[in-house]
Amino acid sequence: MSSTDGPPDRVRVLVAHDRNRELLAEWLGDTYEVLSGLDDEGTAGGGDGEGPFAATDLCLVDPEGFAANRERLRTWKDRADPVFAPVVLVTEEPLSEGLDPESWESIDGLYVVDDVVQIPVEKAVLFRRLENLLSRRSLSTDLARSYERAEERFASLFHATPDPALVLSEGHIIYVNDALCEEFGVDRDDIHWRHIAELDALPPATRDQIESQIERVLAAESETDAADWTGGDDPPEDLREAAVDDGTDDAVETGPNATLDDAVTDEALDERTETVVVERPDGERRYAETNVKPMILDERRNVAVVMRDVTERRRRKRELERKNERLEEFASIVSHDLRNPIQVLDGRLSHLEESAVDDGALADGESLADQVEPMRRSVDRMSDLVDDMLTLAREGTAVEETEVVDLAAVAEEAWTTTDAPAATFAVDGDLALAADPSRLRQLFENCFRNAVDHGPSDVTVRVGDLPDGRGFFVEDDGPGIPESERDEIFELGHTTSDDGTGLGLGIVSEIVDAHGWTVSVTESEGGGARFEIVVE
């Protein structure tokens, strides 16, 4: 009989004793497909090209047949694994120490001989023994097919994942998906079974972070296993120190903060998630959120690591944080800086009301101009504050699109808006650079206004290229900026003038940051302020 509704099971008889071989073939022939001996090339018949005994479900051997085919049987069982490939030894010797199982040494834990039948034996007993073994083979075949289907599904999902992913066994890479190969420009075969510490596609500090993260996840998993242990009154000695969550926030501890280029772990929800820095083949540095998940694969405890690009998410988060900071700054400016000019206006108006006489003259002999002039200055200051705050609010910090612009042309256009008829402007350079034209013009306007507001009426302002085309400068021959104040001038709200808003150079700094440039301040040849913007 067959263990399924398909064709009969195939039993190969490798029995050297002629009479026993004939008797066994006769007994088995009505129920199984009986295969005898070997083919002419010394391998088992059946010829499906998969090695010895490939078309065999069970082998019957006697001591002589076993001795002659021992290595072939080993190979058959090894290639069949995880499918069970049963071997039955039939012997006329009584079962004793003479049939020592040590002579049937295993491969990967499988004995070459799985059962021993002493002959003579009743036919029903023999068939029952064979059926038990064939049932095990059928079950193992079904399990192997289920495993293969599960592995195929895993492979399909694994490679379909758009995020780079890899599976590690004891720190060694055993699987990587297509996304990881494409993202980091690595060859799957080149990195197979290499330790993650040797994965050159990731920066060394990032590899260390991932290894540390894996250790924490596995340690946390072990603690969970210890907490769930129910094997008696006392847990094993090494489990007694398992941490107990008392329900407070202090019972949950996350991993240490990363220090690599601001790659922090404050976004991590638990030990399994962390943010690291990765580098693409073209040198672009990106942020990736790594998620580590323990898994059982090939009966080994492994970990899967998925790396999701969160660069844009972090950018949006930082942008939101900056906007919130600006709102707080605006609130501070409105509550403090605008209050002073309003108080000036209020005081002057009150004085006018108290001093006015019937004909409109002032009782104390003051002229109307004496009162109007400070009010006008207060109005102008409030107007400047409002304009600068609107600039900050509308522009934001990120430059979404750029175009190649002529630096000199943008600077000359910005100077036309500067109200300084006695001042002199000069531009010397032919630098072309990628920038947002309107924001670059705003940068120049604010630098020019700073020079005019803090310098003499006939101040000279120059714009030019830095050496080697690294960027450009804006300088003047005014009083300059003391070295002790140069670290503070780009802070929003910082000003040394009673009429200044403290926002102009802060806006310059934000425009520079938004383009990915850097700005520094030094002294010009004429002793004034010199702003150097490096665009490389």
Side-chain angles (χ1 to χ4, degrees), residues 1 8-9 11-13 21-35 58 60 123 126-127 130:
M1 110 185 41
D9 292 315
V11 176
R12 183 168 299 280
V13 179
R21 183 175 65 253
E22 292 172 0
L23 180 60
L24 287 169
E26 182 180 341
W27 279 9
L28 301 174
D30 293 338
T31 305
Y32 306 106
E33 178 183 349
V34 178
L35 307 171
L58 181 147
L60 275 173
K123 184 177 180 180
L126 175 64
F127 273 58
L130 299 185

Side-chain angles (χ1 to χ4, degrees), residues 224-520:
T224 301
D225 293 342
D228 293 340
W229 188 81
T230 56
D233 295 335
D234 294 316
E237 189 68 25
D238 59 338
L239 299 183
R240 292 179 183 173
E241 301 301 323
V244 177
D245 187 347
D246 61 3
T248 67
D249 291 341
D250 293 337
V252 180
E253 182 178 354
T254 59
N257 287 341
T259 59
L260 175 61
D261 291 348
D262 199 28
V264 296
T265 60
D266 57 351
E267 295 177 353
L269 298 179
D270 54 32
E271 293 284 359
R272 294 182 178 178
T273 304
E274 188 166 328
T275 304
V276 300
V277 170
V278 298
E279 189 170 319
R280 289 179 173 174
D282 60 4
E284 181 185 3
R285 295 168 70 82
R286 307 281 292 178
Y287 290 99
E289 185 181 81
T290 59
N291 190 285
V292 174
K293 174 68 175 177
M295 60 185 300
I296 302 298
L297 192 64
D298 295 336
E299 300 182 352
R300 291 191 298 269
R301 189 166 188 171
N302 306 313
V303 293
V305 181
V306 180
M307 308 175 70
R308 174 162 295 175
D309 192 310
V310 294
T311 305
E312 292 305 313
R313 189 176 76 187
R314 286 176 62 87
R315 184 192 64 77
R316 290 192 296 269
K317 179 182 177 183
R318 295 294 176 84
E319 177 69 12
L320 180 60
E321 290 173 349
R322 291 190 181 101
K323 288 181 178 178
N324 289 337
E325 290 173 0
R326 283 199 299 276
L327 287 175
E328 293 178 2
E329 291 164 353
F330 295 161
S332 174
I333 292 169
V334 169
S335 63
H336 295 89
D337 292 16
L338 282 179
R339 182 175 295 143
N340 289 334
I342 290 174
Q343 288 175 343
V344 171
L345 284 174
D346 182 66
R348 294 292 177 172
L349 289 171
S350 298
H351 181 70
L352 286 175
E353 291 172 348
E354 295 171 358
S355 303
V357 294
D358 294 339
D359 60 359
L362 301 183
D364 57 4
E366 291 183 349
S367 68
L368 187 61
D370 292 336
Q371 300 298 323
V372 171
E373 183 179 352
M375 287 190 289
R376 174 56 59 192
R377 288 199 303 268
S378 294
V379 170
D380 291 343
R381 175 169 168 74
M382 285 190 293
S383 178
D384 289 342
L385 281 168
V386 170
D387 289 343
D388 284 345
M389 286 191 293
L390 287 176
T391 297
L392 281 172
R394 288 169 178 168
E395 295 293 350
T397 58
V399 171
E400 300 295 340
E401 296 182 3
T402 62
E403 61 183 77
V404 178
V405 297
D406 183 284
L407 184 76
V410 176
E412 289 173 349
E413 182 182 356
W415 181 255
T416 62
T417 65
T418 304
D419 185 16
T424 301
F425 175 69
V427 58
D428 180 19
D430 56 2
L431 181 67
L433 70 162
D436 180 323
S438 66
R439 301 194 70 180
L440 180 60
R441 185 171 60 252
Q442 181 73 50
L443 180 151
F444 281 125
E445 290 175 356
N446 284 25
C447 287
F448 298 160
R449 192 173 78 185
N450 182 76
V452 170
D453 289 347
H454 294 84
S457 59
D458 59 348
V459 66
T460 296
V461 179
R462 290 181 61 245
V463 173
D465 299 347
L466 291 176
D468 301 324
R470 295 183 301 112
F472 59 94
F473 67 85
V474 181
E475 65 179 15
D476 61 63
D477 60 356
I481 300 172
E483 190 172 351
S484 60
E485 297 180 12
R486 292 175 186 173
D487 292 337
E488 304 172 356
I489 61 170
F490 295 114
E491 296 178 3
L492 294 176
H494 176 79
T495 181
T496 58
S497 170
D498 293 337
D499 297 328
T501 67
L503 300 179
L505 293 181
I507 293 174
V508 169
S509 177
E510 292 218 351
I511 293 172
V512 167
D513 290 342
H515 282 86
W517 305 336
T518 58
V519 60
S520 60

